[in-house]
Amino acid sequence: MMIELLFAGALLTASQQVPASAPPPVPTMEQQPVQLEDVVVSGRSLDSLIRDFVGEVAEPNRNRGLARWEDSVCVGVANLNGEIAQFLSDRISTVALDLGLRAGAPGCTPNILVIATADAGDLARQLTEERRRAFRMGGSGMDRGGAALRDFVEADRPVRWWQMSFPVDSETGDIAVRIPGRCANDCTSAADIAPQIAINAASRLTTQIVDNLTRAIVIVDVDQVSGITALQLADYVAMVSLAQIDPEADTSGYASILNVFEAPEVSDSLTDWDLAYLDGLYDAERNRAGVRAGRSEIIGSIRRSHEALRERNAGEEAAPE
């Protein structure tokens, strides 16, 4: 299905690329966003800042926990020249490797597809009309819903993204929801249609059902990304494809790569906020029942990731030259 999307989205020539330009002037100190290492800012604790950051950026599917890639990713890039396309693919794959994922070998079938275009809205509309089932498979908890898909098509953004995920049995890896059109055996009984999950330990506090990302498509408007570097673009795409990020999140108060289009001078790459968020997401066990409890687990994991980052940075500063 992703290969079909790749060919459907091939609208630009291979010679187009993302240019870099000089950043605008650095804002005044009063406007500087909060760095993760700031323990107290205006009377707010770090724990409070982390909780607010997660609450702002995290956008799971309806009534589901935060999803992540479980095993491996294969990054495909279309409609950029070979050198820049390879850089974007390599950089996103490197971020994934740092999170403990495997990166697909050359020639793998992309499950993260990045398409550059001069008309992102038209491409998004074309893809969703021609390949509707690639965006909404119809299973419970697999996507963010019809309103979000309309926003994906209609909202004018430099980068837009759409992800699919499956609730799965963490013990077996089996899909834990019914997928329309799929069944087992001869499809004559309820057991053939609905998935069968063996619960190892019944509990209201824990669960063995987790959410795994299975597909992501990212559309880049080449005209609107002309003011940032290839590294900034690659890290932005890595952030929004490796985690479920709210496209309407207001992260202006934080030093994050998610601000790159409004304030490209804030960061040249993923910041400590971004790295701690991704590390926390991929380190969490995700075994707490309930969306709120699961998010609290992610917050605690991000806090531990922050401590590890702070210790690492302190060690680098103390190391002799």
Side-chain angles (χ1 to χ4, degrees):
M1 185 66 72
M2 293 304 288
I3 292 296
E4 294 175 339
L5 289 176
L6 175 61
F7 288 112
L11 302 180
L12 300 184
T13 65
S15 62
Q16 289 180 290
Q17 57 181 300
V18 180
S21 63
V26 176
T28 63
M29 290 301 295
E30 290 77 8
Q31 298 172 311
Q32 290 289 347
V34 175
Q35 300 288 337
L36 180 56
E37 61 268 22
D38 294 336
V39 177
V40 178
V41 179
S42 301
R44 296 179 61 198
S45 68
L46 179 60
D47 286 340
S48 173
L49 289 168
I50 291 175
R51 188 172 299 277
D52 289 348
F53 182 76
V54 173
E56 187 65 45
V57 305
E59 182 70 5
N61 293 345
R62 294 175 297 178
N63 302 317
R64 301 303 312 170
L66 288 171
R68 70 188 186 200
W69 298 96
E70 184 61 25
D71 186 19
S72 63
V73 296
C74 174
V75 182
V77 180
N79 301 333
L80 291 174
N81 75 9
E83 182 178 352
I84 291 184
Q86 190 63 54
F87 174 80
L88 291 179
S89 177
D90 289 347
R91 175 59 181 172
I92 298 168
S93 298
T94 297
V95 176
L97 286 169
D98 290 342
L99 296 173
L101 299 170
R102 292 187 293 109
C108 60
T109 301
N111 52 16
I112 296 177
L113 180 59
V114 183
I115 305 176
T117 176
D119 192 339
D122 183 66
L123 176 57
R125 184 173 296 103
Q126 178 184 345
L127 293 178
T128 54
E129 290 176 354
E130 296 180 358
R131 307 290 180 181
R132 185 76 176 183
R133 289 295 297 273
F135 291 85
R136 301 210 66 193
M137 293 184 66
S140 175
M142 291 184 184
D143 60 68
R144 291 172 46 232
L149 186 60
R150 287 192 295 273
D151 180 75
F152 169 77
V153 173
E154 298 171 1
D156 184 20
R157 298 187 179 99
V159 178
R160 64 189 74 195
W161 57 93
W162 186 259
Q163 296 162 318
M164 299 287 294
S165 65
F166 289 134
V168 303
D169 182 347
S170 60
E171 299 292 332
T172 65
D174 294 337
I175 296 175
V177 295
R178 176 180 177 270
I179 301 177
R182 294 190 188 181
C183 57
N185 302 320
D186 55 5
C187 302
T188 58
S189 68
D192 293 337
I193 298 174
Q196 305 297 304
I197 304 297
I199 303 299
N200 296 325
S203 172
R204 293 183 178 180
L205 301 179
T206 61
T207 178
Q208 67 189 57
I209 305 301
V210 298
D211 294 275
N212 290 341
L213 291 171
T214 184
R215 181 185 304 157
I217 180 169
V218 181
I219 300 178
V220 177
D221 189 311
V222 293
D223 293 328
Q224 296 192 58
V225 302
S226 60
I228 66 174
T229 67
L231 176 59
Q232 288 174 316
L233 176 61
D235 279 10
Y236 185 95
V237 173
M239 187 73 178
V240 302
S241 59
L242 296 175
Q244 293 173 304
I245 302 297
D246 185 352
E248 296 184 352
D250 179 8
T251 56
S252 58
Y254 305 88
S256 169
I257 194 66
L258 297 175
N259 299 320
V260 70
F261 296 110
E262 291 76 24
E265 74 285 348
V266 169
S267 177
D268 295 330
S269 59
L270 290 168
T271 69
D272 281 354
W273 273 111
D274 305 319
L275 293 172
Y277 183 86
L278 291 173
D279 287 343
L281 175 63
Y282 280 83
D283 284 344
E285 294 184 10
R286 302 189 297 167
N287 61 355
R288 297 185 185 179
V291 174
R292 182 172 298 179
R295 186 168 298 201
S296 295
E297 182 189 12
I298 300 293
I299 291 170
S301 187
I302 292 173
R303 185 65 165 87
R304 292 189 296 272
S305 295
H306 161 64
E307 295 294 342
L309 282 169
R310 187 165 62 177
E311 291 177 5
R312 185 191 67 189
N313 293 339
E316 292 175 352
E317 292 176 358
E321 298 182 359

